[in-house]
Amino acid sequence: MSGRTMARQVLVLFFSLVSFSSVRAQVTYSVPEEMPRGSVVGNIAQDLGLEIKRLKSGKARIYTTDSAEHIELNRDRGLLLIKEKIDREALCGQTTPCALHFQIILENPMEFYSVTVEVTDINDNSPDFKKKLMEFKISESAVPGVIFVLERAVDPDVGMNGLQSYSLHPTDHFTLKLQKQADGGKIVEMVLQKSLDRENKEQMTLVLTALDGGDPQLTGTAQIHVTVLDVNDNAPVFTQKVYKTSITENTAIGTAVIKVSANDADEGSNSKISYSITNTEGVIPELFHVNETDGHFKVIGHIDYEKYPHYEILVQARDEGGLTDRCKIEVDVVDRNDNSPVINIMSKLNMIPEDSKPDTVITMINVQDPDSGDNGKVYCTLNENMPFTLKSTSNKFFSLVTDLNLDRERDSEYNISIKCADEGVPSLSSSITIPIQITDVNDNAPVFEKSSYEASVLENNTPGLSIFRINARDADQNQNARVSYLLEDSSVNGVSVSSYVSVMADSGVVQAVRSFDYEQIKEFRFCVRAQDGGSPPLSSNVTVRIIIQDQNDNAPQILYPVQTGGSIVAEMVPRSADVGYLVTKVVAVDVDSGQNAWLSYKLLKVSDRTLFEVGAQNGEIRTIRQVTDKDAVKQKLTVVVEDNGQSPRSATVTVNVAVADSFPELLSDLTDFTQDKLHNEDLTFYLILALAAVSFLFIMSLIAIISVKCYRWRRERLFYNSGANLPVIPYYPPLYADVGGTATLQHTYNYDVCRTTDSRKSNMNFLKPSSQSFMTLDSSGTQTFPHVHGERMIHEELEDQVRTQFLAFIGGAGGGWEWPCPPRA
């Protein structure tokens, strides 16, 4: 072959795209047979417009329904190469054109291209006669023109390389005659040209030569031996030149096919006819047999429509005198539905991601049914309720594609059953099952078990305490389902929430970063984000509410009476007071909550337990008997206020009570309120001292009022600057109602506060109840100012003015004077 010219023709035929991309183009190459291994068939990458990297990434390969692989694909170079020598005659016989059909399969995405390689013939076979010697007995009486059918030569090559002509040598008595058949073959006949003379020449040998049209030309020869006999006047004659019949494939061996008949007008031995099949090549001698004496044909082999749907049998009738005649039998094979469809998987994916779009190719199959007509028509179906469908890409090629959106969380795998059936009667079918795994993509965000979380923690907790655990689940798989917890940035009372709590990223455990104080913050909220490990990650948020639970960590606080270092408050009780007379009320609060703030009052120490009692719930100090003249003027009560916590906390307050009807009576025992060792002074001395002090205060008040008028515009600023560092006595407005559930004041008492912490800013209102009297002493006992209510005061108006001036002076000097207003039931 090395001396032969091997030309290749490449023809690329593109056709329009189908509805999806599994088939794009068809490429046809033409190569001569017998090319050595490794020879280049064509540049498939270039001809299909594909890059080399696409061939590699797509794992390009060749798919063919034949078991023999004659062509291979070199992905690195994008070339189709000869894998093994191709013998066209072995591959296709006399069929023309002879071609190899296969597909180039690529994955990711899945697609295929049809490739046809036409194998052209080279003149590598000589004509050949199955019978090298043909013998004829011819009567010397045979007239010129008598025909003798010769055996044909066989040349496996086709076209010009096939059998073209015959020659006969010598040609003294015979010539050749060729008759062309419908199938392209030629019947070779030897025609008597000159009468025979047995006496002159009884035996003669001729050489029949068969010639092809190749270059160089090849030949084959056979010998013809002729024996000249005595007179045989008539040759056999068939009743029909062409017989036609049909048989069903898979006909049983021994079944009669047809009977041929020939007549001979001679008598005796010259009229005896024998029948024979002259098709010495091919499969006909293996499938059919003729009875030499009666011309009956019967089946002796397996008739297969898929191999040979039609047969032509050449029959010769020959008498004893050597004269012959010929006829042809045309046998049509009737197809039976004896072949089930054969499903071949060209390429398939074992796994596909759940976000695959509709029309994604999963598997490509080729379905072959060698039957004909309806017996060879095939349709394929899938099992029901599947998100897949089959699409026909071309004749007998199907693609299994996605039809709906997939969801791994709903169905993680499918067993797809493909059933293909023909339309024969009865219908034959076959099926295959294709398992498909659905791989996960990150299409599900973490979902918390609750829409919101709420947890409680006792105040004064240890930093680092695990409060509770939040949990979120992700329906995805593996890394896509790995949930991490993140604390969203926010603020609580202007402080970053991260200074209050932290969240363990892997477990979702919420931990306290600091010790909480219920009195500073009772609850707070923050957001936690659950984020998966997918790419890109998905997340969801949840709101967490932390409730701080109170502990009994605060003692009650006494609001009234106020205990200051600069003054002593005394409550005055007239001797005419009845039983149940309200002396005063101890007011206390507890900043704790709940039962920790439930306060109870009791007398811890009292001068006379038979005279006073305190309300356990309201702190009211009342008389429990009638006041008598024998009762001491000075009464000192120590009240303890206790909360209701598990570890109760308490506070104490001392209440001074003066039992007297008037100031003179009171002043007689004044030293008992200040210092026991001081001697009683004359009341006149105190009045003179008080008048002098009032006069002095009056002058100072005038100066102060003028100064305030000048700097009035600064009052608000001074108020806020000074008020931030001064103690504040709460003011309870009339009809005050405790709606929070934690206060300790009763609802039925009203109070008027008659004290200011800043004399520069506040005005004072002095109440004048007719039923009580009180006085205020400084701690040293050296200055005393009486205040008598009612008609018994002679200089009431003057004293009001003096009192105002005196308080303004004391308030400006930082004193602690107070004028309490008695409670009103």
Side-chain angles (χ1 to χ4, degrees):
M1 290 179 56
S2 59
R4 301 189 182 101
T5 302
M6 297 182 293
R8 290 199 314 272
Q9 296 177 347
V10 180
L11 177 62
V12 181
L13 302 176
F14 290 95
F15 53 83
S16 61
L17 295 177
V18 293
S19 60
F20 50 95
S21 63
S22 58
V23 179
R24 290 186 178 179
Q26 178 174 325
V27 181
T28 300
Y29 297 98
S30 178
V31 296
E33 64 173 330
E34 302 295 340
M35 289 182 66
R37 181 177 180 179
S39 299
V40 177
V41 176
N43 191 329
I44 189 67
Q46 177 180 337
D47 296 334
L48 291 178
L50 299 175
E51 297 181 357
I52 299 299
K53 63 180 181 181
R54 172 62 179 129
L55 295 180
K56 294 180 179 179
S57 64
K59 300 178 182 179
R61 58 186 176 85
I62 290 177
Y63 168 79
T64 177
T65 56
D66 299 328
S67 59
E69 295 183 3
H70 303 282
I71 307 295
E72 64 180 353
L73 173 64
N74 187 316
R75 287 199 294 256
D76 296 331
R77 300 167 60 193
L79 301 177
L80 290 177
L81 306 177
I82 298 295
K83 187 175 182 180
E84 60 182 23
K85 283 188 178 182
I86 303 174
D87 186 354
R88 195 207 66 82
E89 290 74 35
L91 183 64
C92 301
Q94 293 294 307
T95 302
T96 56
C98 179
L100 295 170
H101 301 280
F102 55 89
Q103 288 74 38
I104 300 293
I105 306 294
L106 293 97
E107 299 176 358
N108 299 322
M110 189 177 294
E111 54 189 2
F112 76 93
Y113 301 88
S114 294
V115 180
T116 299
V117 177
E118 182 179 350
V119 182
T120 59
D121 183 51
I122 62 174
N123 193 22
D124 57 343
N125 292 281
S126 301
D128 183 49
F129 290 94
K130 296 298 182 183
K131 286 185 177 181
K132 299 298 183 181
L133 176 63
M134 293 176 278
E135 294 183 342
F136 292 92
K137 295 179 180 180
I138 302 174
S139 173
E140 63 178 342
S141 62
V143 296
V146 175
I147 297 175
F148 302 92
V149 179
L150 303 178
E151 182 181 348
R152 295 186 298 178
V154 176
D155 191 336
D157 295 327
V158 295
M160 290 301 299
N161 295 324
L163 184 60
Q164 298 296 321
S165 61
Y166 293 89
S167 64
L168 185 65
H169 183 77
T171 57
D172 297 341
H173 293 85
F174 297 94
T175 61
L176 286 177
K177 181 180 179 182
L178 302 179
Q179 290 193 12
K180 195 170 185 179
Q181 299 295 302
D183 61 357
K186 295 177 181 180
I187 296 178
V188 184
E189 298 176 333
M190 184 175 64
V191 181
L192 181 60
Q193 178 175 271
K194 182 180 178 182
S195 298
L196 300 176
D197 187 356
R198 180 175 177 277
E199 289 75 15
N200 185 27
K201 194 171 185 179
E202 183 178 358
Q203 303 284 337
M204 60 180 66
T205 300
L206 296 83
V207 177
L208 178 62
T209 302
L211 302 92
D212 62 24
D215 183 19
Q217 190 177 56
L218 302 178
T219 62
T221 60
Q223 288 189 348
I224 301 173
H225 186 74
V226 178
T227 301
V228 181
L229 303 177
D230 284 336
V231 177
N232 183 18
D233 297 331
N234 298 288
V237 178
F238 279 101
T239 56
Q240 295 178 228
K241 285 298 183 182
V242 177
Y243 292 85
K244 293 184 178 182
T245 188
S246 63
I247 59 173
T248 304
E249 73 169 320
N250 302 325
T251 296
I253 294 176
T255 301
V257 178
I258 196 172
K259 179 181 182 297
V260 297
S261 177
N263 299 319
D264 194 321
D266 292 326
E267 295 180 356
S269 61
N270 290 332
S271 64
K272 291 181 179 180
I273 301 173
S274 62
Y275 301 93
S276 62
I277 298 175
T278 61
N279 301 71
T280 56
E281 76 282 0
V283 298
I284 290 179
E286 300 173 0
L287 299 177
F288 301 97
H289 173 73
V290 62
N291 189 304
E292 291 184 356
T293 59
D294 59 14
H296 279 95
F297 279 79
K298 64 179 181 179
V299 177
I300 62 172
H302 177 66
I303 304 299
D304 189 351
Y305 172 86
E306 287 71 41
K307 291 184 177 180
Y308 299 99
H310 179 79
Y311 298 97
E312 288 188 359
I313 306 174
L314 300 180
V315 183
Q316 176 180 270
R318 182 175 181 178
D319 61 18
E320 291 292 333
L323 298 180
T324 63
D325 194 13
R326 59 180 176 79
C327 72
K328 180 172 66 173
I329 303 174
E330 295 181 354
V331 180
D332 291 323
V333 180
V334 179
D335 183 38
R336 292 183 61 184
N337 192 25
D338 60 340
N339 292 281
S340 299
V342 178
I343 304 174
N344 299 305
I345 298 178
M346 300 169 58
S347 182
K348 75 181 184 73
L349 297 177
N350 295 320
M351 297 180 294
I352 59 171
E354 61 177 322
D355 62 347
S356 299
K357 296 180 179 179
D359 284 344
T360 299
V361 180
I362 302 172
T363 302
M364 291 187 293
I365 61 173
N366 170 251
V367 183
Q368 298 290 335
D369 192 329
D371 293 325
S372 64
D374 291 342
N375 296 332
K377 293 181 179 179
V378 177
Y379 63 92
C380 297
T381 58
L382 299 178
N383 44 335
E384 296 180 354
N385 301 322
M386 287 284 181
F388 307 98
T389 188
L390 275 176
K391 291 189 177 182
S392 177
T393 59
S394 60
N395 186 26
K396 298 183 179 181
F397 288 94
F398 297 87
S399 290
L400 176 65
V401 300
T402 55
D403 189 42
L404 301 173
N405 292 325
L406 304 176
D407 187 357
R408 188 205 64 82
E409 290 70 38
R410 184 181 65 241
D411 295 294
S412 60
E413 63 178 350
Y414 294 92
N415 288 316
I416 306 171
S417 178
I418 301 176
K419 180 181 180 181
C420 296
D422 58 30
E423 297 182 7
V425 179
S427 177
L428 299 178
S429 64
S430 58
S431 62
I432 59 171
T433 299
I434 301 176
I436 296 294
Q437 295 286 334
I438 308 302
T439 59
D440 185 51
V441 297
N442 193 27
D443 59 344
N444 289 281
V447 177
F448 286 95
E449 293 179 346
K450 299 179 180 179
S451 59
S452 63
Y453 288 86
E454 184 175 295
S456 300
V457 60
L458 287 173
E459 66 172 329
N460 304 317
N461 58 285
T462 304
L465 173 69
S466 295
I467 302 175
F468 76 112
R469 181 176 182 268
I470 59 176
N471 189 40
R473 298 183 181 276
D474 196 313
D476 292 322
Q477 194 177 39
N478 300 329
Q479 184 68 24
N480 295 331
R482 184 173 298 172
V483 179
S484 299
Y485 301 91
L486 304 172
L487 181 64
E488 291 283 12
D489 189 22
S490 62
S491 61
V492 178
N493 295 336
V495 180
S496 175
V497 70
S498 61
S499 65
Y500 286 86
V501 292
S502 64
V503 180
M504 299 294 289
D506 55 345
S507 63
V509 173
V510 179
Q511 293 181 327
V513 174
R514 62 165 63 176
S515 179
F516 299 123
D517 186 353
Y518 174 84
E519 288 68 44
Q520 291 183 358
I521 180 170
K522 294 179 173 56
E523 68 172 58
F524 60 95
R525 300 171 188 264
F526 57 92
C527 287
V528 175
R529 182 171 82 250
Q531 179 174 292
D532 60 29
S535 180
L538 300 178
S539 63
S540 59
N541 291 351
V542 70
T543 300
V544 179
R545 180 189 179 198
I546 300 296
I547 300 174
I548 313 301
Q549 293 183 339
D550 183 44
Q551 283 188 322
N552 193 24
D553 59 343
N554 291 280
Q557 297 178 7
I558 307 298
L559 299 181
Y560 184 85
V562 178
Q563 301 292 293
T564 61
S567 64
I568 298 176
V569 177
E571 302 292 344
M572 181 174 289
V573 177
R575 294 186 178 274
S576 60
D578 296 329
V579 176
Y581 179 84
L582 178 63
V583 178
T584 187
K585 178 176 180 178
V586 177
V587 180
V589 296
D590 193 322
V591 294
D592 292 325
S593 65
Q595 67 178 13
N596 294 329
W598 297 351
L599 302 181
S600 60
Y601 303 83
K602 60 184 178 181
L603 289 174
L604 182 64
K605 184 191 300 184
V606 60
S607 301
D608 187 353
R609 288 189 176 274
T610 64
L611 183 58
F612 301 102
E613 70 174 358
V614 62
Q617 302 300 324
N618 54 26
E620 294 177 350
I621 299 176
R622 294 179 180 271
T623 59
I624 57 177
R625 63 175 174 81
Q626 182 71 38
V627 179
T628 65
D629 295 337
K630 296 180 180 181
D631 292 324
V633 174
K634 173 190 173 184
Q635 297 287 337
K636 187 173 184 180
L637 292 78
T638 301
V639 179
V640 61
V641 183
E642 188 176 71
D643 61 27
N644 197 37
Q646 289 185 352
S647 299
R649 293 176 178 268
S650 62
T652 59
V653 61
T654 299
V655 180
N656 295 307
V657 178
V659 179
D661 289 329
S662 62
F663 272 105
E665 181 182 357
L666 175 64
L667 293 176
S668 64
D669 292 325
L670 185 61
T671 55
D672 292 338
F673 287 90
T674 58
Q675 187 176 0
D676 293 336
K677 293 184 179 180
L678 295 178
H679 299 285
N680 293 330
E681 299 289 342
D682 188 76
L683 180 60
T684 304
F685 172 78
Y686 292 105
L687 291 175
I688 295 173
L689 180 63
L691 289 174
V694 168
S695 299
F696 176 76
L697 291 176
F698 178 75
I699 297 172
M700 296 300 297
S701 298
L702 291 177
I703 297 173
I705 291 172
I706 294 173
S707 300
V708 169
K709 294 290 185 179
C710 295
Y711 296 100
R712 188 174 183 178
W713 61 274
R714 299 178 59 194
R715 284 185 302 173
E716 291 299 326
R717 180 178 178 185
L718 292 174
F719 172 73
Y720 289 110
N721 289 340
S722 62
N725 298 319
L726 293 176
V728 178
I729 302 301
Y731 169 70
Y732 295 90
L735 300 178
Y736 170 78
D738 176 19
V739 297
T742 61
T744 57
L745 294 179
Q746 298 298 313
H747 297 179
T748 57
Y749 292 95
N750 302 326
Y751 294 86
D752 293 329
V753 176
C754 303
R755 181 181 184 274
T756 179
T757 58
D758 189 349
S759 62
R760 294 170 297 175
K761 299 301 178 180
S762 303
N763 295 324
M764 301 202 49
N765 298 322
F766 292 88
L767 303 180
K768 300 178 181 179
S770 60
S771 61
Q772 297 185 36
S773 299
F774 61 91
M775 68 175 294
T776 302
L777 300 177
D778 61 9
S779 59
S780 63
T782 58
Q783 294 184 2
T784 302
F785 183 79
H787 184 194
V788 181
H789 294 274
E791 296 179 353
R792 289 175 299 174
M793 260 320 266
I794 300 175
H795 304 290
E796 181 179 16
E797 182 177 356
L798 178 61
E799 289 178 353
D800 287 342
Q801 296 177 357
V802 171
R803 186 163 56 252
T804 301
Q805 298 169 4
F806 181 75
L807 289 177
F809 172 75
I810 297 301
W817 285 83
E818 299 177 353
W819 294 86
C821 298
R824 291 175 297 179

